[in-house]
Amino acid sequence: MINHHDSFKMKMMRKRYYILFVFCSITTLFAQKKVSVKEGNDLFQTKSYVKAAAVYEQVKPSREVLQNLGDCYYYNFQMDNAVRAYKQLFATHNDSVQKEVYFRYANALKGIKDFIKGDSIMKLYSGEEQNTQKFMKNVSRNSATSYKLEMMSKDKNNGDFGISFYGDKVAFSSTRSGLSKSYGWNEKPYLDLFSASVNDKGQLMNVTPFPEIINTKFHESNATFSPDGKIMYFDRSGDKQVKVGNEIVATIKIFKAEFKDGKWIYATKLPLSSDDYSVEHPCLTKDGKQMYFASDMPGGQGSMDLYVVDIDANGVFGQPRNLGPTINTAHREQFPFVSADGTLYFASDGHQGNGNLDIFMSKKISDTEFDKPVNLGSSINGEMDDFNYILDEAKNQGYFASNRTGDDNLYTFIREENKLQYLVEGEVRDKKTLELLPGSTVKLYDDKGQLLDEVLVGKDGDFMFNTEPNKKYKIIAFKDFYIPAESEFETNQNGKVYLDLQMKVESYYDAEDIINKKADGTVLIELENIYFDLDKWNIKPQAAQVLNVLVALLKKYPYMEIQIGSHTDSRASSMYNLRLSNKRAASALEYLVQNGIERKRLSSVGYGETKPLIICPKNDCTEEEHAANRRCTFMILK
């Protein structure tokens, strides 16, 4: 089978079909006899994933069984079942799981929209942080275009994909004929090539199979045509299996057919094809002078890479050239399409996206050099496989394939210009730990300092404001017990319309040695004690020196608010001590106000003898203990 969804070592057939697993008949078959792990492994080795999964479901779940079971479901896009198997694998054999399984598990999780868990597993695989939902939201907002989609067939089980322009019609591959024997990979019929017209509602009409010279008992898919329509190149699965490394595989090859005297003839294998590796998904440039294709031939970046090869006037092929690490990754790059202006569109699960295969575009710089690929955004890319994008630039219309509904289906799209948005969005994080800080307040100011808007950050730690073009703004993030963080930015008419700000705020107790957070959560400024004369509350020179340190701190952090607390010893009456402590706390507050601190940032409270630092036995304190209890505290409120 031609399985274009292979992840890493699938050098056999690369063919897409989502299995709607009907275990009844298969389970009955195996229930008649006792099954063994060896049976499952033999089926797995030959890529008979449906039958292999049925065996593995009945045997003891060892590490090998669970990994193979997850892979059987993953390769057939049964992501719910794949997650179930991989989850058990990681729970019971986490220390011995192969690295590549992390990649498949992460994509399976994203396939069922568990992006948070999928991102955490992908981080274990790649070592890099990911936030898929945030990334896709950013991409979509920054994209110049968005897409309106329509499925091209009312039957969702045809297994249609591999679409290409074919004069005023289209060509595509499908299992819809249902005439050939089923393929062990997914127990579906083999693929054939069809042509069809497309009506004004985007529906496939007059579907006609290509003749037997093209459609054989093997898989045929992904046709591309010369500018005059007289030459067709297409995929065909190998007619024999060979041993490549430790695997028995049947590679995919590219064939060429010619249209003469009203019929297709001479379906011959191209010399760049091989029994040792696959070449697939051919796409001719508009002038027919180059072919782009995917291959896992030796010397690539890994898995499937994209290549280009020149074709001279006599139809002779040159030496294929790898498109290099800007385009190709260690994972799958497939289904190339080159538009009239030289822009390359392709599918990849190696570049960051929504999960599994996403569609990307890259502008051409030179013969084999392209700009960094750009994800086309969430209006066309979903959490499952999206691929096989082709575009008629003049009409801003085109087609692509996706298995988002369970099986491969073709979609028509209209490409529209995005409305210009001026948005600023960001996250508030602890500067030291980088943890998100829900409950923060973020305020937006204009260039004159006028407050325009403010938001309370939710549990996801992010914020967003609408702004206007050609203006300057300031954003300040606030959080209790943290130093506010500021960021200034400017919008313009033609520049980037979406800004992503990381507001990293530093806690007062990380910034200052004299500030400490207690076990009960209170944050105190620890200064020398303030001493008052007996029955007095006026500020003495020694107390002024201590309070001057506090003045400097409050001026350094103009958003800090504090409470001054005063405590007495227990040698007078409780009412006397309460009044005296209130007067002393108020006196310290007034000193701060007289030295330039805004009154609204300060509060004072007298505790009297109610909160002694040292509790003396039988209330019989020494002079030193009484002195320790006579103190002022400075607690940060925000």
Side-chain angles (χ1 to χ4, degrees):
M1 176 178 182
I2 306 177
N3 192 310
H4 50 267
H5 298 299
D6 67 306
S7 255
F8 300 93
K9 59 180 183 179
M10 293 163 43
K11 294 183 178 179
M12 191 174 100
M13 303 144 264
R14 292 168 167 67
K15 174 110 179 136
R16 315 185 32 78
Y17 298 115
Y18 182 89
I19 289 262
L20 296 175
F21 231 75
V22 182
F23 274 113
C24 298
S25 60
I26 297 170
T27 304
T28 300
L29 174 66
F30 285 104
Q32 294 174 359
K33 60 177 183 176
K34 185 177 180 181
V35 296
S36 66
V37 173
K38 183 180 184 304
E39 281 184 81
N41 289 347
D42 289 343
L43 290 165
F44 185 85
Q45 188 69 22
T46 59
K47 309 295 191 291
S48 297
Y49 293 131
V50 172
K51 292 179 180 177
V55 173
Y56 287 139
E57 290 284 6
Q58 299 179 67
V59 299
K60 185 178 179 180
S62 65
R63 184 198 64 79
E64 179 186 38
V65 165
L66 289 171
Q67 178 175 317
N68 289 354
L69 180 62
D71 289 349
C72 286
Y73 290 128
Y74 177 80
Y75 294 143
N76 276 307
F77 325 115
Q78 284 271 37
M79 296 309 186
D80 284 320
N81 286 325
V83 167
R84 171 174 57 84
Y86 288 144
K87 183 178 181 180
Q88 188 177 356
L89 171 68
F90 276 71
T92 55
H93 302 281
N94 187 52
D95 294 341
S96 58
V97 175
Q98 297 173 9
K99 186 177 181 181
E100 296 304 318
V101 182
Y102 283 79
F103 181 82
R104 296 197 285 275
Y105 185 25
N107 276 316
L109 285 162
K110 293 180 184 183
I112 63 170
K113 299 186 179 182
D114 190 349
F115 296 106
I116 294 175
K117 180 67 173 177
D119 287 338
S120 68
I121 297 296
M122 192 63 79
K123 180 183 177 182
L124 294 175
Y125 171 75
S126 67
E128 297 179 0
E129 289 279 355
Q130 279 198 7
N131 186 331
T132 295
Q133 291 174 295
K134 183 177 178 63
F135 173 81
M136 292 304 297
K137 185 166 61 175
N138 293 355
V139 166
S140 298
R141 285 175 175 163
N142 276 327
S143 177
T145 57
S146 60
Y147 296 86
K148 284 188 175 181
L149 314 179
E150 188 71 38
M151 191 178 291
M152 299 180 72
S153 175
K154 294 179 181 178
D155 188 345
K156 298 180 181 180
N157 300 314
N158 283 329
D160 298 340
F161 76 99
I163 195 166
S164 61
F165 294 115
Y166 178 33
D168 58 357
K169 298 188 291 185
V170 295
F172 65 97
S173 51
S174 177
T175 61
R176 62 176 60 212
S177 68
L179 299 177
S180 58
K181 64 179 182 179
S182 62
Y183 174 50
W185 187 296
N186 57 13
E187 298 299 319
K188 294 273 188 172
Y190 278 67
L191 288 168
D192 282 335
L193 281 167
F194 296 81
S195 65
S197 57
V198 182
N199 67 14
D200 56 2
K201 294 182 180 180
Q203 299 295 296
L204 294 171
M205 305 294 292
N206 305 314
V207 177
T208 305
F210 277 83
E212 291 183 358
I213 190 71
I214 304 298
N215 289 328
T216 66
K217 62 181 181 179
F218 303 106
H219 290 293
E220 284 82 28
S221 67
N222 295 88
T224 185
F225 301 87
S226 61
D228 61 8
K230 294 182 178 181
I231 296 176
M232 171 172 58
Y233 300 96
F234 62 95
D235 290 347
R236 180 177 287 168
S237 60
D239 57 356
K240 63 179 180 178
Q241 292 186 335
V242 297
K243 188 171 184 179
V244 178
N246 295 321
E247 287 192 284
I248 303 297
V249 300
T251 59
I252 302 166
K253 301 173 174 64
I254 297 177
F255 280 69
K256 174 184 177 181
E258 297 179 38
F259 193 76
K260 287 186 177 181
D261 300 325
K263 62 181 181 180
W264 290 102
I265 60 173
Y266 305 133
T268 56
K269 181 177 63 177
L270 290 187
L272 55 81
S273 297
S274 171
D275 286 335
D276 296 327
Y277 51 81
S278 289
V279 290
E280 60 188 36
H281 309 157
C283 172
L284 289 172
T285 54
K286 297 303 178 183
D287 59 10
K289 294 181 179 180
Q290 288 185 319
M291 176 191 289
Y292 287 76
F293 64 93
S295 177
D296 57 357
M297 66 176 63
Q301 303 297 316
S303 190
M304 301 299 292
D305 278 11
L306 296 185
Y307 291 79
V308 62
V309 61
D310 295 326
I311 308 172
D312 69 17
N314 297 315
V316 177
F317 284 75
Q319 184 68 27
R321 303 183 296 279
N322 189 290
L323 296 192
T326 300
I327 297 297
N328 294 315
T329 69
H331 302 289
R332 292 179 292 166
E333 281 70 48
Q334 297 173 296
F335 295 94
F337 174 80
V338 181
S339 64
D341 68 355
T343 300
L344 173 67
Y345 297 88
F346 64 99
S348 172
D349 62 3
H351 296 284
Q352 188 171 0
N354 222 358
N356 299 292
L357 287 177
D358 270 13
I359 301 168
F360 294 80
M361 63 168 287
S362 182
K363 295 289 186 181
K364 191 172 186 179
I365 299 174
S366 65
D367 184 38
T368 57
E369 286 187 285
F370 290 85
D371 270 341
K372 181 180 179 181
V374 176
N375 190 295
L376 293 193
S378 56
S379 64
I380 193 168
N381 287 319
E383 67 277 0
M384 291 292 283
D385 286 332
D386 303 288
F387 57 101
N388 188 200
Y389 176 103
I390 64 174
L391 171 68
D392 183 336
E393 289 179 305
K395 296 179 180 179
N396 263 327
Q397 294 180 343
Y399 311 100
F400 78 105
S402 176
N403 67 352
R404 63 187 62 189
T405 62
D407 207 343
D408 289 334
N409 285 285
L410 291 172
Y411 293 78
T412 182
F413 64 76
I414 298 175
R415 190 174 68 170
E416 299 178 329
E417 186 176 350
N418 263 345
K419 285 186 177 180
L420 202 60
Q421 297 184 78
Y422 295 87
L423 299 172
V424 57
E425 184 177 65
E427 295 175 332
V428 183
R429 293 182 178 270
D430 184 292
K431 184 177 180 180
K432 182 177 181 180
T433 67
L434 298 182
E435 292 180 354
L436 292 170
L437 294 176
S440 303
T441 299
V442 184
K443 298 183 179 182
L444 177 71
Y445 299 86
D446 64 16
D447 57 351
K448 298 180 178 60
Q450 180 179 353
L451 178 63
L452 301 177
D453 197 3
E454 66 177 272
V455 296
L456 182 66
V457 173
K459 64 180 181 180
D460 54 1
D462 64 7
F463 60 88
M464 184 182 74
F465 295 108
N466 288 309
T467 58
E468 297 178 5
N470 302 313
K471 289 192 176 182
K472 295 180 180 180
Y473 295 93
K474 177 191 287 187
I475 281 183
I476 305 181
F478 299 88
K479 175 71 174 174
D480 289 351
F481 313 121
Y482 281 81
I483 304 165
E486 297 185 8
S487 180
E488 295 183 356
F489 64 95
E490 182 176 359
T491 59
N492 60 70
Q493 189 66 44
N494 298 313
K496 189 175 182 180
V497 298
Y498 177 79
L499 297 172
D500 185 5
L501 300 177
Q502 291 285 326
M503 305 296 288
K504 295 178 181 176
V505 291
E506 185 176 21
S507 65
Y508 290 127
Y509 42 86
D510 283 334
E512 299 289 343
D513 291 338
I514 62 173
I515 300 177
N516 289 290
K517 186 176 183 179
K518 302 301 181 182
D520 62 0
T522 58
V523 180
L524 298 179
I525 304 169
E526 296 185 344
L527 302 175
E528 292 182 38
N529 205 356
I530 295 178
Y531 294 100
F532 296 90
D533 287 338
L534 182 65
D535 199 29
K536 302 292 184 183
W537 51 87
N538 57 297
I539 301 299
K540 298 175 63 176
Q542 179 274 341
Q545 290 180 0
V546 175
L547 290 175
N548 286 340
V549 176
L550 186 57
V551 168
L553 189 70
L554 290 168
K555 288 183 176 180
K556 181 178 181 180
Y557 302 115
Y559 295 101
M560 182 186 287
E561 297 181 14
I562 68 167
Q563 180 193 84
I564 303 167
S566 179
H567 305 260
T568 67
D569 59 33
S570 59
R571 288 189 288 191
S573 71
S574 58
M575 183 58 68
Y576 172 85
N577 286 334
L578 184 62
R579 289 172 179 171
L580 179 62
S581 64
N582 272 314
K583 290 178 180 179
R584 287 176 173 175
S587 178
L589 185 151
E590 290 302 322
Y591 182 87
L592 297 178
V593 171
Q594 291 168 13
N595 283 272
I597 306 303
E598 292 179 281
R599 187 180 298 275
K600 66 181 181 180
R601 298 172 57 196
L602 308 170
S603 63
S604 65
V605 61
Y607 293 101
E609 60 185 75
T610 60
K611 294 186 176 183
L613 191 63
I614 299 174
I615 299 176
C616 306
K618 299 180 180 180
N619 203 27
D620 185 18
C621 294
T622 64
E623 282 299 322
E624 290 78 8
E625 289 169 335
H626 279 306
N629 285 334
R630 296 192 302 270
R631 68 196 189 280
C632 274
T633 56
F634 307 97
M635 182 172 65
I636 297 177
L637 301 178
K638 61 174 60 176

